[in-house]
Amino acid sequence: MNFQQSYDQAMTHPHSFWANAAEDIDWGRTWDKVLDETNAPFYQWFTGGELNTCYNALDRHIENGRANQTALIYDSPVTASKQSFTYLELRDRVAVLAGALRKMGVNKGDRVVIYMPMIPETAMAMLACARIGAIHSVVFGGFAADQLAIRIDDAKPKVILSASCGIEVAREIPYKDLLDAAIDQATYKPSHCLIYQRPQVKSQMTADRDIDWEQACAEAQATDCVMMASSDPLYILYTSGTTGNPKGVVRDNGGHAVAMLWSMRNVYNVQPGDIFWAASDVGWVVGHSYIVYAPLLNGSTTILYEGKPVGTPDPGAFWRVIEEHKVNVLFTAPTAFRAIKKEDPHGNYLKQYDLSHFRTLFLAGERCDPDTLKWAEDLLNVPVIDHWWQTETGWAIAANCLGIEQLPIKPGSPAKAVPGFDVQVLDDMGGKVAEGNIGNIVIKLPMAPGCLTTLWNNEQGFIEAYLKRYDGYYLTGDAGYIDDDDYLWIMSRIDDVINVAGHRLSTGAFEEVLSSHPDVAECAVIGVADKLKGELPLGLAVLKSDVTRNHSEIIPELIALVRKKIGPVAAFKQAVIIQRLPKTRSGKILRGTMRSIADNTSYKMPATIDDPVILDEIKLALKTLGYAGTS
Ligand code: COA
Ligand code: AMP
């Protein structure tokens, strides 16, 4: 079947298409219905079906002859250590950890927050939850205690799993201290915390609450998999929306397992036994899907890398890992390649390594600029595949599906909609725009299996954020167009979300923090173009009229406040104080216009602006930070 036939098959016969894909998963009970539309727009996949995701990711491979195949390789240049686990070893470690969780009172349906660095125990924690039917919610380590507290209050975990520290290049991040601060702040309190003591930092344990990981595992019994309904939640993953309140994306067990496995073979062309490396973090959706679940469901070997593309120790780090572990396919964000290109523009480091096993590079997480794509292609001499997806979908909405048929590559486009996704571009009135014209990118319901089923504790929010704008369609939040070859072009977000080094952040959340500073009357945060990270946040603050303090005192306070409230991952390092914000006569802040000024791109003077002179003032202020052109 070629790509078009496969796509058409998924659209015209979704039931048989996905039933066929589901045959590759082991079910305890076969589904009654492939797609249950009775409660639309809340669709359910494989209703009546029962399975266990951990069983499918580990146990069944042991039963099918892969017991001694490497399942997971941990490679950590920041601690100068490496470790490999066969499927048997990983399963045994996971089963015992699951037993420890059980002993702590964790049962099917309970939530477990995982706030951990990139160590094998983090993947084990996710799989142990899946094994006993607990719903995990991994929180990225680069978030501050405040953000962790918000997520604890929303997910209400019975238990939190954490480690004594994370390591950012040479800096130790005291995860346990951040966790303690978050629990202090949160209204909800977990019964216990299971703490993995890393050799680099020994944490103080809180009596009656904290339990030592290794000791708990030494005393626990291995526990078997629990059968889950296909529609039971596997995990919650919080992502940024327009406000400071993150959205808890809920993923099911059945649809997710089917989509993960299908994507591994059909999008990435990765077979059981192949070595797959997603250079991301388990705290992001890429890490959930392609460090942990998909490669293991597929019987492949996954790499968990605790390091950076540069500086650990040099820009040859990725090539070293590829050679050493015979990686076949790498998936990362374009920003990682921009970082390598910046430090080693001629690819000199690559010459030291043998990449003969390497087949393909996949990029996603942000727009892939054609220069970076071309640079990577020339350097590596393998296909470089841009693909587009988001936390909500959990896997690619648009891609060049190498496992089906390699389509011509158009740099700047993530190629075509993946089978199962009916992607359309609509105008503000809900009409389809003509080919080549920009509009709101939507997906006609129902979406392929594996996509979010709802938002945690917030069905109404799910409808408001994604389904209300256009009846019968899911709003992706991205704007773009489809060309006459059916290729998609993703141009920008339509909301207040910005993308910093492949990390999705909300300018609304930044603004809430800046507004809480006692000297700030009002503010705006915009995403400005950055050669390395794609976008960077930039704050513009108007002070209260009675503030007489020096700006040079206030600006560092604003920067520190965002770091404290959101975290280092916000990369918020630039702010200016201005007299007034440009607004329309109805009071809407002209963020888009300010962004164009900062990026020095053309913009139309908004007809409804209350006072055009303000834009000149903004231009002057932004020039002090090196933006808004040089003339
Ligand atoms: N725990 C604690 N702090 C973290 C962290 C974690 N897990 N991850 C990042 N941080 C910190 C960093 O140390 C940095 O702090 P600093 O301001 O004190 O320097 C800050 O958060 C920003 O981190 P990052 O965005 O990673 O920037 P960087 O300058 O350290 O590295 C890149 C830049 C391009 C090398 C890096 O962003 C990268 O490797 N990106 C790969 C893409 C990726 O993983 N995308 C995820 C989705 S696919
Ligand atoms: P996240 O949910 O953090 O994965 O972020 C998803 C968002 O990142 C998407 O909605 C897009 O705005 C952006 N994005 C991801 N992949 C791509 C891509 N290949 N091209 C353009 N934008 C992308």
Side-chain angles (χ1 to χ4, degrees), residues 140-142 168 171 173 175 279-281 284 286 308-310 332-333 335-336 339 364 501-503 532-533 563 568-569 573:
F140 177 62
E168 274 293 293
R171 196 159 42 103
I173 312 285
Y175 273 47
S280 177
D281 189 289
W284 305 113
V286 176
K308 300 257 174 184
V310 294
T332 191
T335 187
H503 309 316
L532 176 65
K533 297 198 175 186
R563 195 174 170 98
V569 69
K573 295 189 172 158

Side-chain angles (χ1 to χ4, degrees), residues 357-378:
H357 293 87
F358 188 52
R359 297 198 303 257
T360 328
L361 169 65
F362 280 86
L363 298 172
E366 54 172 334
R367 183 172 174 272
C368 181
D369 53 292
D371 283 352
T372 302
L373 188 129
K374 192 87 194 44
W375 184 80
E377 245 175 14
D378 291 346

